[in-house]
Structure formats: C-alpha cells, structure tokens
C-alpha cells in the first residue's frame, strides 16, 4: 500500500490545499503538531497541552501524523517528535495565528499552553521594531523551558531547553505568561502581584515584551 492509499481522503480534489488538509486537516491535528514544534514529548505531556482532547483521539491523531510522515515515535523513549515535514508547518501555524488575530471573538482567558504562546510570539512579533535588536529571553512554565532569541533580523526564534541562559527569565503558567507578554500591565507589577516570576534584567524584559502585540492590522 503506497502513501496515497494510506492517507485518509477527506477531500476528493486535486487542489493542493485540499491535499494538505487530507494530511493535517482532521480536528486537533495541527494543534498536536503545535505541541511538538520545539521539542519531542511523551504522550501525557502532549495531552497536557491539549486539555480538551481525549486519549483516544490523541492516539488517532498521532498515528495519522506518523503515517503521513509528519511525526515519528521513538519506542525506546516513548516520545513523539516532528519530522522535517512536520517542522515545515511552523509558518502555517504562524499564518493561521496572524489571520486569527484579525477576527473578533478571541478570548485569551481560555487555556494557553506554553508552546502555543511561543508559536504565537514568533507570529506576532513586530519585525520592524525588532530589527537590530539582540535579546535572549527565557521562559519557564512547569516542566517546559524555552529560550527566544532576537538576533537583529526582526525574527523571533525559539529553542526548547531546560538549561536557560538569557538576559531575563519569565516564569508562570501559559496564560499568565501570555498576559505578561501581550497585556498592558508592567512586568514589575505582575511580578510583585505574584502573577509571574521575573529574574534578570527587568528593563530589558519590559522592552522585549513591547515588541509583541495581538493586533495585526
């Protein structure tokens, strides 16, 4: 059986967009890809970033992504990770995020996983304002750690790591970190209130978060 026969045909069309949706168009599929974008994860860790998904549906999606060559499973560690094809979906997730920012109804009080925030920030950085900036920002949320780097070209690049070396580190759950990045309250006030923990260069951290906005005109 070839790859075309293994793939679930949802849209019987020759359109390339329809073909792509045959691969990753099932409900939850792209969000599973999102959770694996920066690091390999075991099943329960993936599920913790997708609180609305059942174990059965997650198993199905992971199997579909493996069959399509988007993800792979390491039987020795039990972890799932994206293939190069899967990592190529980052610009797709970024574009969807920017598109979604233009439409009403977004409620940031709903659950936001730490990885979802990192993907969002790579999409919503003000690239013109970030030009020439060299900043290394650290983020920690429970068991997940990230470093986000601005290296002068305006892009924000993310690496998952437990050994965070950065100009500053913001720590909290995904929603509180999102409020720190996108909200109007100064970081020092959020830290004083215990909403987040902030270590390192406070002024650099405040300048950094000003580069991100949920508005995309």
């Amino acid at each position: 059986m070839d790859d075309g026969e293994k793939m679930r045909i949802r849209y019987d069309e020759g359109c390339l967009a329809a073909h792509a949706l045959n691969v990753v168009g099932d409900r939850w599929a792209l969000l599973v890809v999102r959770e694996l974008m920066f690091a390999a994860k075991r099943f329960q860790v993936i599920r913790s970033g997708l609180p609305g998904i059942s174990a059965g549906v997650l198993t199905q999606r992971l199997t579909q992504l493996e069959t399509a060559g988007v993800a792979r499973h390491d039987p020795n560690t039990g972890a799932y990770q994206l293939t190069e094809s899967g990592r190529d979906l980052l610009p797709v997730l970024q574009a969807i995020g920017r598109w979604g920012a233009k439409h009403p109804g977004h409620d940031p009080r709903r659950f936001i996983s730490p990885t979802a925030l990192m993907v969002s920030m790579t999409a919503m950085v003000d690239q013109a304002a970030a030009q020439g900036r060299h900043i290394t920002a650290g983020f920690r949320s429970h068991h997940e750690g990230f470093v986000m780097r601005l290296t002068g070209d305006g892009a924000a690049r993310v690496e998952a790591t437990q050994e965070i070396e950065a100009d500053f580190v913001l720590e909290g759950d995904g929603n509180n970190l999102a409020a720190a990045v996108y909200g109007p309250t100064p970081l020092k006030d959020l830290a004083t209130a215990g909403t987040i923990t902030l270590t390192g260069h406070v002024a650099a951290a405040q300048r950094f978060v000003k580069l991100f906005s949920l508005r995309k005109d």
Side-chain angles (χ1 to χ4, degrees):
M1 182 180 291
D2 63 26
D3 289 342
E5 291 173 327
K6 291 179 182 178
M7 185 190 306
R8 178 185 175 192
I9 301 300
R10 302 172 74 243
Y11 305 103
D12 190 13
E13 298 184 19
C15 165
L16 282 174
H19 173 63
L21 290 172
N22 280 332
V23 180
V24 293
D26 280 301
R27 188 182 182 202
W28 295 108
L30 276 177
L31 299 187
V32 173
V33 169
R34 180 199 71 197
E35 289 302 304
L36 293 172
M37 186 52 65
F38 304 117
K41 296 179 181 179
R42 293 169 65 90
F43 185 93
Q44 289 300 336
V45 178
I46 300 170
R47 195 176 176 193
S48 71
L50 300 165
I53 197 170
S54 70
V57 171
L58 178 55
T59 298
Q60 291 172 3
R61 295 299 171 266
L62 287 167
T63 299
Q64 290 169 356
L65 292 172
E66 284 186 84
T67 300
V70 174
R72 64 170 64 97
H73 179 242
D74 185 337
N76 295 317
T77 65
Y80 295 85
Q81 66 181 37
L82 296 182
T83 63
E84 182 179 356
S85 173
R87 293 189 296 273
D88 283 346
L89 287 166
L90 178 58
V92 175
L93 291 168
Q94 292 168 329
I96 290 173
R98 286 189 290 264
W99 185 85
K102 298 177 181 178
H103 290 263
H106 172 243
D107 185 354
R109 296 170 298 179
R110 294 176 177 170
F111 176 83
I112 301 170
S113 77
T115 300
L117 175 62
M118 294 298 105
V119 173
S120 167
M121 290 175 68
T122 65
M124 305 307 286
V125 62
D126 183 338
Q127 293 199 3
Q131 286 283 341
R133 305 284 189 97
H134 293 264
I135 303 172
T136 302
F139 296 86
R140 188 174 298 284
S141 183
H142 305 298
H143 57 272
E144 295 191 76
F146 304 91
V147 168
M148 181 175 290
R149 292 184 175 88
L150 302 179
T151 57
D153 63 357
R157 296 179 176 87
V158 175
E159 174 189 353
T161 179
Q162 292 300 313
E163 302 296 327
I164 298 176
E165 296 184 10
D167 301 320
F168 57 87
V169 179
L170 300 175
E171 184 170 355
D173 66 27
N175 287 75
N176 286 340
L177 289 175
V181 171
Y182 292 123
T185 306
L187 294 179
K188 62 180 181 179
D189 292 346
L190 292 173
T192 299
T195 304
I196 61 166
T197 300
L198 170 58
T199 56
H201 201 299
V202 176
Q206 191 63 57
R207 290 193 296 269
F208 174 80
V209 298
K210 287 184 177 180
L211 297 172
F212 300 87
S213 172
L214 287 177
R215 291 181 57 84
K216 278 292 181 182
D217 299 323

